[in-house]
Amino acid sequence: MDEKDWTILDILAQERNITRTAERIFLSQPSLTYRLQQLEKELGVPLLVYRGRRGIEFTGQGDLLVDYAREMLKRWGEVKELLAQGQGEVRGTLRLGVSRTVALYRLPDVLRRFSEQYPLVEFDISTALSQDLVGSVSSQKEQIGIVRGNPQWLDAREMLDPMLSRTIDNWWKLRFTQPSGSFMHVDNAEIAKRMVQNNLGYAIVPSIVLDRNDRELYRLPLTGADNEEILWTTWMLYRQELLELPAVKAFVHFIQANYRQSIPSLYANP
């Protein structure tokens, strides 16, 4: 097996469909099918179960091989980064795990500026809830995590940060004795903002979702028992040993140099 085979297995596991996989890797469908049959012959085990229009499923052995292929792709990418470092180049694929709110409102501008300095670095970006991203960075599924809230981060340990909804619930209970009586529930802060813009009540959202075009909205910061504003800040998480990788080191240093080591100010509302 080589890098091409690892890539085939990785994408096939994502698509669960021979035709779509062939399109993504620029192979003909017969060529892809032949290569998969050759792998099964070389390994002496069935890898796939064909389900007709429902696509394909991997056998138990197939799932193990997909895990192996993904691990090898990850290691091979890291090796190429280290070799490039010896030539004085910063290149490679940077795996970022980013909270959905940050990815929507702030990440594009940050990556644009970073790419101007390091054009050879590519990005593999995943978005998820902040509490899930802490675990992804800890397990090195993602090299760097950018999360909201107050994450408990102790190197390799997976410590989940408080959820935003819990912060809001605690604030409400501190201020009121009755439930909010909300008549609408949405799972996205941007959607909540749009509802308010259309005179559909109020919303409690992070200030990151508000920009200069939202000046018509009345804003009231949440305060705690001590009348201090309740802050839902942003943090960058990474494993210290990964600074050996040029792309990781460059990104961390870029954030530190441009934002004075203050991720919350990077994503503060303008």
Side-chain angles (χ1 to χ4, degrees):
M1 292 182 65
D2 56 20
E3 185 179 8
K4 186 175 181 179
D5 291 327
W6 304 333
T7 302
I8 287 174
L9 291 169
D10 178 36
I11 295 177
L12 185 58
Q14 297 174 37
E15 296 290 350
R16 304 282 168 166
N17 182 280
I18 295 291
T19 301
R20 291 196 297 270
T21 299
E23 291 173 352
R24 284 186 59 182
I25 60 178
F26 301 100
L27 271 182
S28 68
Q29 185 173 333
S31 295
L32 174 58
T33 301
Y34 176 77
R35 182 53 192 150
L36 290 170
Q37 292 172 343
Q38 287 299 108
L39 281 175
E40 290 182 321
K41 183 177 179 181
E42 292 172 14
L43 297 171
V45 295
L47 301 176
L48 304 173
V49 177
Y50 293 88
R51 302 293 188 184
R53 292 184 178 180
R54 291 181 292 173
I56 62 96
E57 293 292 338
F58 283 92
T59 63
Q61 296 96 325
D63 283 331
L64 288 174
L65 196 61
V66 168
D67 291 341
Y68 168 81
R70 287 174 169 169
E71 180 65 23
M72 293 305 297
L73 283 171
K74 172 184 169 183
R75 292 185 180 182
W76 183 235
E78 292 173 351
V79 167
K80 289 193 290 187
E81 288 182 44
L82 292 173
L83 292 174
Q85 185 179 24
Q87 299 178 344
E89 295 181 338
V90 177
R91 64 167 66 234
T93 300
L94 188 62
R95 300 194 306 276
L96 297 176
V98 187
S99 76
R100 292 164 182 167
T101 304
V102 172
L104 178 62
Y105 294 101
R106 296 293 184 266
L107 187 65
D109 182 64
V110 174
L111 296 187
R112 176 187 60 79
R113 295 181 61 190
F114 179 78
S115 294
E116 290 173 354
Q117 294 187 32
Y118 302 99
L120 299 179
V121 175
E122 299 179 352
F123 303 98
D124 183 349
I125 301 170
S126 299
T127 61
L129 298 175
S130 291
Q131 60 265 26
D132 295 331
L133 291 174
V134 174
S136 295
V137 178
S138 178
S139 65
Q140 298 190 29
K141 178 182 178 182
E142 313 299 346
Q143 294 166 330
I144 295 176
I146 300 178
V147 303
R148 298 281 285 175
N150 300 293
Q152 301 298 315
W153 177 246
L154 297 174
D155 195 46
R157 295 187 181 182
E158 181 179 342
M159 301 290 286
L160 303 182
D161 63 341
M163 295 169 53
L164 177 59
S165 59
R166 188 182 308 158
T167 300
I168 295 174
D169 287 343
N170 291 339
W171 172 83
W172 189 275
K173 292 174 183 177
L174 176 67
R175 293 291 181 179
F176 305 99
T177 58
Q178 298 294 326
S180 64
S182 58
F183 70 97
M184 184 184 304
H185 295 276
V186 298
D187 61 0
N188 182 280
E190 178 67 23
I191 295 174
K193 183 181 77 174
R194 298 295 178 88
M195 295 298 180
V196 175
Q197 288 173 330
N198 284 275
N199 299 317
L200 292 172
Y202 67 90
I204 301 176
V205 298
S207 62
I208 193 175
V209 309
L210 302 173
D211 57 34
R212 293 182 179 87
N213 297 321
D214 299 320
R215 298 301 186 188
E216 79 281 4
L217 295 177
Y218 177 74
R219 312 178 191 188
L220 182 66
L222 302 188
T223 57
D226 54 3
N227 288 324
E228 293 288 331
E229 286 191 18
I230 296 175
L231 301 179
W232 189 249
T233 53
T234 305
W235 301 91
M236 177 173 65
L237 310 178
Y238 60 95
R239 296 283 293 272
Q240 189 71 26
E241 65 262 31
L242 291 185
L243 290 178
E244 295 180 3
L245 300 177
V248 174
K249 182 178 181 180
F251 188 81
V252 170
H253 288 180
F254 170 81
I255 295 295
Q256 293 172 342
N258 287 276
Y259 303 103
R260 296 186 299 277
Q261 300 183 348
S262 179
I263 302 302
S265 69
L266 167 61
Y267 299 106
N269 186 50

